Every structure is written in structure tokens, then in C-alpha cells.
Amino acid sequence: MLALFENPRLRGGIHAEEHKLETSIYNIDSDFPLPKKLYIPVQQHVGKPAEPVVKVGDKVLKGQLLAYSQGTISAPVHAPTSGIIADVKDFPAPHPSALPIRTVVIEADGLDQWGAIEIPSDPFQLSPEEICSRVGIAGVVGLGGAVFPSAVKLSLGRKNKIHTLLINAGECEPYLTCDDRLMQERAEQIVAGIRLMLRGMDAPKALVGIEDNKPEAFLAMQKASQHYPQIVVSQVPTRYPMGWDRQMLRYLTGQEIPADGRATDIGVVVHNVATAYAVYKAICLGEPLISRVVTVSGAAIRQPRNVEVPIGTLMSEVLAYCGVDKSKMARLVMGGPMMGDALPIAEVPVVKACNGVLALSHAEIEEPEVQPCIRCSSCVGVCPVGLLPLEMASRIRANQLDAAVDLGLKDCISCGSCSYVCPSNIPLVHYFKFASGELVKRQQAEHKSEQTKRLIDERNNRMERARLEAEAEALRAQEARAARAAALKAQQEEDA
Amino acid sequence: MNAKPISGPHVVATRRVDQIMRLVIIALAPATAWGVLIFGWPAFYLLIVTVFSALAFEAICLKMKGVAATPFLRDGSAIVTGLLVAMTLPPWAPWWIGVVGSALAIMLGKHVYGGLGQNLFNPAMLARVALLISFPIEMTTWANVSPLFIGPGVFDSFAITFSGLDNADAVTGATTLGLVKTEFSQNHVLPGILKDYSSLLAFIGWERGSLGETSTLLILAGGIWLMRQGVIKWHIPVSLLLTIFVFAGIFHLWDSKHYLGPWVHLNSGAVMLVAFFIATDYVTSPNTPLGQVIFGAGCGLLIFVIRSWGGYPEGTGFAILLMNATTPLIDHYIRPRIYGRYRNGKPLDISNP
């Protein structure tokens, strides 16, 4: 009875205006002129920042290591072109705060000269361990936006008996078409990457999920994989957030990942389709991840298209290349319009996570005034997780964070579907992000007070021990004095 | 509240509150127009008075609350409330019934709770029930069908609405439900009571009743259109109507002399209007599809119970208010299952599938 009200394969989601045709009809533009200066942050991934190995004044070649991976979850970064290290300094990050992070600055020499490249004679004969290690060395990270080090995921896969590699080619965000174009133009390379990944984690089969608004990409991928029965390319409905890996997994396999688990728990590893391409390049061409395809779009862009740019290129240069109308541009967004970040300045580098640079006009981001909630429950209907956004928001407004957690705040994936449909234009996702931040703050405060308490207790114990020791010492000293006095007395008596 | 932070999503859907209200008004228009058509100018005057007083009370309340009135007046919610109040009134009721109804709906039904989106009870039904209890005579004086241009003229009608009805007995009568209740109390039985009843005329709406409730056909059309527009969902109307149909059917089969048949139930009184436009009120109905089905079924059951065994011939107003009161409870217990969790909130256990 209860199950009647729930589609077992697909729940919630929205169909936003796609705006994909602006860019999906053009080939990937690989003629982007090499910038004079490139800014490569040492942290472009989840985990520990990489540690620079170059000094100011060093000459580097294209693909040379700039900073090495630190710890188990980390990824190295490489030189996108040849040149001189001009600086290693703090530079604004592509983040809503634009706070500075450690960045290696390269002054390009214009030669774009490759360093030593090692290409295996038959990449598909490499051992799984070798594949993982090469992927790790090449600095490949998840290019769907999560930027989790891919090598870590691959070796996790090997340890966890994986039966399915899910290749997420949903690209459900409006505007973005970089994966679409990549599949249309470089499907064979992507399929090679998928085969390498399968080998890298000893998995028997791969599922590729492509939203059905990309028929050409689907056909190209199907054609490229026709001789590999282990790769199944499927179409999935165009319904944001289809690219949420758990949603796509449920749609394609009917399986759900437990709320407290990972995909590996049910024998699945998910990688983005662009990551598969990066894996191909890393192993078959020996090229580390030093460039990526970026969708440059939005109504303020004169020639929207997909551009292949070196990592570290300033967004302002990418915008200028595609012709930005500054007077029309109302907001600069990195990523898609649903989950992307608004950037305060354009003088920030393109990083590995950057799949889109959107210059949105006033008309595109037009927001009417916020009105009271009329409990229309549109948000409940579109939530892919099955939450009650309106109830959570009202709890958060009343500062009842625990009640919001009870309602499932921690399960929110911030996809923004609820904010998108809200007829009162209530910034629901922002409430949830705020509340999550508050919870972290609260946890940290609790942790701090616990630590303080522990330190105080330790100090008290130490003082107590010291006091007891001092007392014992005093007692011993007294006894010794008494003994000495007694001995003296005895001697005196003897003398007398 | 207006300082919206810059965070995703950076694009939004285009349907806003005022557009939703406009669609509701459009969906209600045919049934309202029909009411004016068959009950003439007095119905028109009452409609105008009720809607405008609803707007006036909305403005007064917003003023007292100290917020700018225009954005709220423009959202159309007060017009919808006023319209719904008018549609549930006897068409020839005096003007002050409309004004008091609007006052009750807007002030007591809505702003006392904090305004739009905060009320526990449906404002129009609250007004209807309060009026029915307070002014039983005016609220049960049902005009005969006397269409526009055939019934009382523009000026005579003015007198009916603004200074009262003189010869009430000559131009009024009982509704189907009222008639049945009275006849039952005199130990008459079905089907004799309904010898003059035509289910076709009742379906079209050519019968005595509230201003905007008589035409099942037009309300159904408006409701289905609203569903197709995506403003309301099927859960509440279907479960409400189906529950009445099933219960009325069972009892009618069991004792057809004392229980009205399902079609009479569905074609009488406020059922259709309530099913599509009142019970589906966002603010006072549950959030989840399952909760909405429970709510709709509860409304249907209560309507049937009150009509069959209660003291009033019509039970929709009471049924809605009672179920409105259970909405927070339903919302508390009926929640969607969260991804990766069981219904009780525990994460899925994959060790023993």
C-alpha cells in the first residue's frame, strides 16, 4: 500500500529549461590560445592539498609534476604547459568566497614543450595495480564535480568485490554540454577509458547512463562500445537530478545505497564519463590531467561553446575568448545553474572540477520577491531524496536544528530542486546549507569544550599527583631527618 | 526576508503564487458564472460584495500587521477566499451575510493565525460553518432557480440583496439534501421523497443550492482543468469522492429506503466544490500523497456520516474543518521514505536482503 505512492526507480526531480542547444551543436573548440600565465592551485581535489616540488625560477616542461600527492586521499598537480615558475603564492580560489589558496604560477614560454612521456606498449595488458598507480600519478580526479581522487576509488573498488562500474553520463544540469560533446566526439577514447577502469578494479561490467536528451552522444557511445559486451550503454529519462549517482543507480539497477553506506557496499563504483576520458589519456597517451573541456554559456556570452582549456587558465580569459558582454552579465557561475557556485570575480583559475563557466544575464537569474510558504508541497513532490523541505525550512527558521535533523536534514543532497519549484521563491537549499554549517559549528564547539574539559581534568590530575608526590617526599625527608636525629642522639649517648 | 543570498539554484521555475491563484480563479469562473446565470442579479450583487469585502478585510489586516499590503493583495489569495465564500452562500442571502462571511474568513480564518500559509482551517469553510450556526435562517433560505433576465430585474434584485426578501416563501424552497432530511423526519421514505428529482438537472446544476455549488458539471470541468495545469493533484479529490461513493453505495444497497444513492450524494450540495477546491487547499491539507489520500478519505467519510446521521442536511463544512484539524497529525506520522532508509528512518540493511 505504502509502496504504491513511490516510484521504485525514479523519484522527484524537475525538468528545468535545458539551454543546452546553445552549445551542444558546436564541436569542442581546441584552439584556445595558450595563456601567458597559468595559476594552478595545489588543491583541486577532495583530501589533502598537494605539496609543491618546484621553486620560483624553475623551468618546467608540459606535464611535469608541480606538486605531489600527500597522504592516501590526495592528488598531484602538473604543469599544463612549459615555462618558468613565476611564483608560488596565495591566489583567489574559484569559490564563492574567493579566499586565497596556495597556487603555483607558471609563466608560459609559448613552446608548449612536453616533458618525458611514457606510453605502455599495450595498455590493456597492464596489471590492475599498475593502472591504479598510473591514474593516481596522472592526478586524475572525479570530473563530475566531486573531484574525489580516481585512483583511490579504483583501488577501493578492487578491494570491495565490485560487480558494476556505473559511468555517470547524465549531465543533468541545464546549460552544460561538455560531457555530451565529449561523448559525441571522443566516444572511442572514453570506451577505452572505461575498459581500463574495469581492468583497474577487476570489475566484470560497466553501465553507462546517458539522459535521453543526448541522442547523438548515446548513439556514438553505443557504436564505440558495440564490440565490448561488458559495457552496456543505456538511456535514462531527462530529469534533474538524474546525475545524482544514487538516483541513476536506482533507475538503472533498482538498487538503493543505504543512507549510511557507499556505493561500494552494494558492489558498485560510480565514475563520471569525463573521468573515463582522463583515464584514457593518462594511460594510453601518458598525459596527466592538465586540461579539460569547459562549457562556456549563458545569455551574456556572444559565442557560447565548449572549449578545451588548460587547467589554471583564468576564467576571465575564457570569458573574453567566447565574447562576454559585461554589461549583460549579472552573475558568474562555475558549474551548472542548479548546483554551481556564484563567483564574485572572474580572475580565478579554471580547475579540474570546473565543468562550466556561465555568464548569466539579469533575465536568466531574475528572482521575484520571497513570499510566505503556502504549503503547496511542490518541494515534497520534487525532492529526489524523499524529504519534506517546507517542514525542514520552518524548523530551521525557528532555530530548531535538531528537529530539522530528525526530518532528514543530513540526507539532503543540496540539488536545489525544491528551491527551483518553490512558487514563493523561498531559498530552501540555502536554509539547509546554513543549518548544516551551523551543525558543524556546533559540533566543533562541543568538541572544543570536550577537549578543554579533558585538558583541565588532566591538569588537575597532574597537579594532584604532584601534590601527592611532594607530600610523600616531605614525609620521606621528615623520616630521614628523624632517623638522622635518632642516630646523632645515639652517638652522643655513646660518646657520653 | 528579502535579502536572498546568492546561492544555487541560479535559475527558478516561473510559476509563482499569484499565477497559481489566477489559475484557481479561472477554474472557478464557469461554476460562478453559472450561479449568477441561474440565480440572477441578487447572486451577482452578493458575489461582488463578498469578494470586495474580502479584499478590504485583507487590506485592513495587513495594515494592522504593519506590512505593505499591495504585494499580498496582488497575489490573489484574498480574491480566491472571497470567491469561495460567495460560492458557498445561498444566492439570495442579504449583503451583510457576504460581508460577515468575508470578515470571518479573512480575519478569523487567516490573519489571526499569522496570514497566508499559516492558518489551520480553511477560511471559506470556517466562514460557512460560523455563518450557518449563527444565522441559520439566512443560511438556509434557498432561492428558486430564476435566471438572469427572466427573474427579478436589476433594481428589484438590488432590493433583495440590500434590504431583504419580503415574500420568501414564494420564491424559495428546499435543496435536495434539506428536503430529504425533512421528509425522513416525517417518516417518509425513498424513493418517494425524490419523485421530482432529476439527476441530469442536478448534474448540470439546474436546481436550488448555494451560489456556486449547483453545477457538478462545471465544477468538475474546472477541477479537472486545474489538475491538468498541475495546480492540484488527484489524490484528495479522487479519494474524497470515491469514499462517499463507496459508503453511499453500500448503505444504499443495504437500505435503499433510508439512504440516498451515491449519485445523489455526489451531485448534491457542496461535495464537488469541496473535493476540488476546498479540500485541496494547500495550506490546510497534508503534504504527502499518502497523507492526502487519508485526508480525502476522511473528509468523504465524515461528509457521508454527517449527512446520513447528523443534525444538518449538509456536512461538508464540518467535515473539512474536522479533517483540517487532523492535518498536522497526518503530516507528523505520514512522511515519505528517505532514500537509503526504511520508513522508520533506519538506514537500509544490506547484510540480509
Side-chain angles (χ1 to χ4, degrees):
Chain A
M1 170 75 183
L2 294 176
L4 262 178
F5 294 90
E6 196 183 288
N7 184 334
R9 288 171 73 198
L10 182 62
R11 199 157 82 169
I14 56 166
H15 193 181
E17 260 186 80
E18 288 184 11
H19 285 289
K20 287 189 187 262
L21 273 179
E22 285 94 318
T23 51
S24 66
I25 46 173
Y26 301 115
N27 285 339
I28 296 172
D29 182 345
S30 300
D31 300 330
F32 185 74
L34 193 63
K36 294 220 162 51
K37 268 190 178 180
L38 290 161
Y39 300 80
I40 303 108
V42 294
Q43 172 134 41
Q44 303 185 36
H45 49 264
V46 172
K48 281 200 171 156
E51 185 61 32
V53 289
V54 288
K55 301 188 304 291
V56 176
D58 282 4
K59 182 164 170 34
V60 291
L61 295 171
K62 187 175 184 176
Q64 189 179 328
L65 185 72
L66 293 180
Y68 66 91
S69 153
Q70 272 201 314
T72 45
I73 299 184
S74 182
V77 291
H78 301 81
T81 186
S82 58
I84 308 282
I85 303 295
D87 213 341
V88 180
K89 62 172 181 183
D90 285 347
F91 191 79
H95 181 267
S97 67
L99 283 173
I101 53 168
R102 210 144 173 236
T103 303
V104 178
V105 186
I106 297 182
E107 220 172 272
D109 57 13
L111 302 172
D112 208 24
Q113 187 187 358
W114 276 98
I117 287 180
E118 198 235 312
I119 301 172
S121 55
D122 184 356
F124 297 97
Q125 290 305 317
L126 291 175
S127 72
E129 291 80 7
E130 184 65 23
I131 289 175
C132 288
S133 109
R134 281 177 189 241
V135 167
I137 289 168
V140 178
V141 296
L143 294 180
V147 283
F148 190 83
S150 301
V152 180
K153 236 174 170 177
L154 288 179
S155 17
L156 254 178
R158 218 172 49 242
K159 284 177 205 135
N160 280 294
K161 281 221 170 139
I162 295 305
H163 56 71
T164 304
L165 164 66
L166 177 65
I167 295 293
N168 187 344
E171 198 166 55
C172 57
E173 280 263 12
Y175 292 87
L176 302 188
T177 57
C178 51
D179 291 351
D180 182 7
R181 281 314 310 186
L182 206 60
M183 286 188 281
Q184 288 189 44
E185 297 175 35
R186 303 175 195 176
E188 308 221 324
Q189 292 90 318
I190 293 171
V191 167
I194 295 173
R195 287 166 58 213
L196 288 166
M197 280 172 151
L198 281 176
R199 190 172 166 79
M201 46 187 211
D202 255 342
K205 73 162 194 278
L207 287 177
V208 185
I210 304 172
E211 274 195 348
D212 53 16
N213 60 355
K214 296 181 255 298
E216 291 93 353
F218 171 69
L219 287 177
M221 286 295 289
Q222 224 177 18
K223 186 155 172 273
S225 64
Q226 60 189 349
H227 300 301
Y228 308 105
Q230 71 272 37
I231 301 175
V232 180
V233 184
S234 331
Q235 282 194 313
V236 295
T238 303
R239 200 168 175 81
Y240 178 89
M242 198 71 212
W244 175 37
D245 50 358
R246 295 181 183 217
Q247 177 94 321
M248 185 177 283
L249 184 67
R250 175 164 58 182
Y251 185 80
L252 287 176
T253 68
Q255 274 183 300
E256 264 184 41
I257 303 168
D260 59 350
R262 295 174 191 285
T264 45
D265 295 341
I266 58 168
V268 178
V269 164
V270 187
H271 279 286
N272 182 269
V273 66
T275 315
Y277 180 67
V279 166
Y280 156 81
K281 272 182 129 179
I283 291 175
C284 298
L285 309 181
E287 292 181 16
L289 181 56
I290 52 170
S291 71
R292 70 157 298 152
V293 181
V294 179
T295 302
V296 187
S297 189
I301 298 288
R302 292 200 188 89
Q303 287 117 28
R305 68 196 120 149
N306 284 291
V307 189
E308 194 164 18
V309 294
I311 301 290
T313 308
L314 289 184
M315 282 184 197
S316 51
E317 291 180 35
V318 182
L319 288 173
Y321 180 67
C322 293
V324 64
D325 183 348
K326 286 229 170 93
S327 60
K328 258 178 102 179
M329 184 168 97
R331 189 175 295 171
L332 175 65
V333 171
M334 178 176 94
M338 295 299 295
M339 289 185 76
D341 289 321
L343 300 179
I345 50 172
E347 282 71 34
V348 290
V350 168
V351 288
K352 294 172 182 175
C354 175
N355 45 8
V357 177
L358 305 179
L360 301 174
S361 69
H362 286 282
E364 287 171 295
I365 59 161
E366 194 195 10
E367 285 175 359
E369 295 235 318
V370 176
Q371 284 170 288
C373 172
I374 56 168
R375 293 175 45 87
C376 67
S377 68
S378 303
C379 51
V380 179
V382 299
C383 181
V385 185
L387 301 175
L388 298 165
L390 78 169
E391 299 284 351
M392 277 156 53
S394 76
R395 301 297 191 285
I396 294 165
R397 279 176 71 97
N399 205 20
Q400 298 167 344
L401 297 190
D402 293 321
V405 171
D406 282 346
L407 285 167
L409 174 66
K410 288 183 175 165
D411 290 289
C412 174
I413 57 162
S414 303
C415 69
S417 299
C418 50
S419 302
Y420 178 84
V421 294
C422 181
S424 295
N425 201 34
I426 298 168
L428 291 157
V429 175
H430 197 82
Y431 276 112
F432 308 147
K433 287 180 182 166
F434 163 79
S436 306
E438 283 297 300
L439 285 174
V440 171
K441 241 199 265 176
R442 197 199 277 179
Q443 232 169 23
Q444 282 169 344
E446 262 167 35
H447 181 72
K448 196 174 163 192
S449 74
E450 258 169 44
Q451 293 295 319
T452 315
K453 192 167 164 290
R454 191 175 59 80
L455 286 177
I456 290 173
D457 283 350
E458 273 177 14
R459 180 171 183 275
N460 286 346
N461 288 342
R462 215 164 47 237
M463 300 293 279
E464 180 68 14
R465 251 196 331 272
R467 194 178 61 78
L468 288 176
E469 270 167 23
E471 268 174 22
E473 185 68 22
L475 202 68
R476 269 200 303 281
Q478 203 181 353
E479 275 168 9
R481 257 201 316 279
R484 264 204 313 279
L488 200 66
K489 201 173 169 197
Q491 189 137 31
Q492 276 169 353
E493 271 169 14
E494 210 170 276
D495 289 348
Chain B
M1 192 150 167
N2 291 331
K4 193 173 184 237
I6 298 183
S7 86
H10 304 284
V11 288
V12 290
T14 46
R15 182 168 284 174
R16 312 243 65 86
V17 174
D18 55 344
Q19 281 155 313
I20 291 173
M21 296 296 172
R22 201 176 310 141
L23 292 173
V24 174
I25 293 170
I26 293 171
L28 286 171
T32 316
W34 175 259
V36 171
L37 185 75
I38 65 165
F39 296 117
W41 292 106
F44 180 71
Y45 295 142
L46 184 67
L47 177 70
I48 296 294
V49 166
T50 312
V51 171
F52 276 93
S53 55
L55 275 170
F57 286 118
E58 174 88 355
I60 292 168
C61 286
L62 291 167
K63 184 104 184 145
M64 283 165 70
K65 207 172 155 191
V67 299
T70 13
F72 286 95
L73 286 177
R74 258 211 306 267
D75 72 20
S77 60
I79 299 177
V80 171
T81 306
L83 192 56
L84 285 170
V85 170
M87 290 175 82
T88 61
L89 295 177
W92 285 17
W95 65 275
W96 55 266
I97 284 281
V99 175
V100 173
S102 284
L104 287 167
I106 298 286
M107 297 172 102
L108 213 55
K110 180 169 156 191
H111 280 286
V112 158
Y113 292 95
L116 185 62
Q118 302 290 325
N119 46 301
L120 188 55
F121 298 103
N122 180 283
M125 284 299 110
L126 189 100
R128 180 201 187 108
V129 166
L131 287 172
L132 182 63
I133 297 172
S134 314
F135 311 106
I137 308 279
E138 287 80 357
M139 286 299 286
T140 52
T141 304
W142 306 102
N144 295 336
V145 174
S146 44
L148 212 59
F149 311 119
I150 298 173
V154 179
F155 297 105
D156 295 345
S157 302
F158 206 75
I160 291 172
T161 306
F162 291 94
S163 58
L165 209 52
D166 297 329
N167 54 341
D169 288 345
V171 294
T172 63
T175 61
T176 306
L177 291 174
L179 172 78
V180 170
K181 185 118 257 168
T182 323
E183 296 282 312
F184 277 159
S185 67
Q186 291 162 4
N187 289 324
H188 296 152
V189 292
L190 293 168
I193 300 172
L194 290 182
K195 59 183 187 301
D196 296 332
Y197 179 77
S198 152
S199 54
L200 180 67
L201 287 183
F203 183 69
I204 294 167
W206 192 270
E207 61 172 355
R208 280 186 287 270
S210 297
L211 198 161
E213 291 177 355
T214 55
S215 178
T216 307
L217 174 70
L218 293 177
I219 297 170
L220 198 61
I224 289 170
W225 179 76
L226 210 54
M227 245 187 243
R228 289 187 63 96
Q229 291 291 313
V231 175
I232 57 172
K233 301 205 189 71
W234 60 269
H235 304 85
I236 292 177
V238 169
S239 58
L240 194 156
L241 297 175
L242 200 65
T243 308
I244 295 183
F245 185 84
V246 167
F247 276 91
I250 290 170
F251 278 89
H252 186 66
L253 280 180
W254 175 59
D255 181 356
S256 62
K257 286 189 174 145
H258 291 99
Y259 292 98
L260 286 169
W263 290 116
V264 182
H265 266 289
L266 295 187
N267 275 320
S268 302
V271 164
M272 278 296 152
L273 186 74
V274 156
F276 286 97
F277 293 94
I278 304 275
T280 53
D281 171 18
Y282 292 149
V283 182
T284 56
S285 62
N287 292 327
T288 57
L290 177 60
Q292 288 167 356
V293 167
I294 294 170
F295 176 85
C299 289
L301 181 64
L302 283 174
I303 291 172
F304 176 74
V305 166
I306 297 171
R307 281 182 173 184
S308 301
W309 301 297
Y312 286 90
E314 172 61 305
T316 48
F318 299 102
I320 291 290
L321 293 188
L322 287 169
M323 288 312 289
N324 283 164
T326 69
T327 294
L329 197 69
I330 294 175
D331 274 343
H332 183 80
Y333 285 106
I334 308 291
R335 292 181 186 173
R337 188 184 64 82
I338 297 175
Y339 184 104
R341 294 182 186 275
Y342 295 109
R343 265 190 188 276
N344 63 10
K346 296 253 172 3
L348 293 182
D349 185 3
I350 43 165
S351 53
N352 47 345

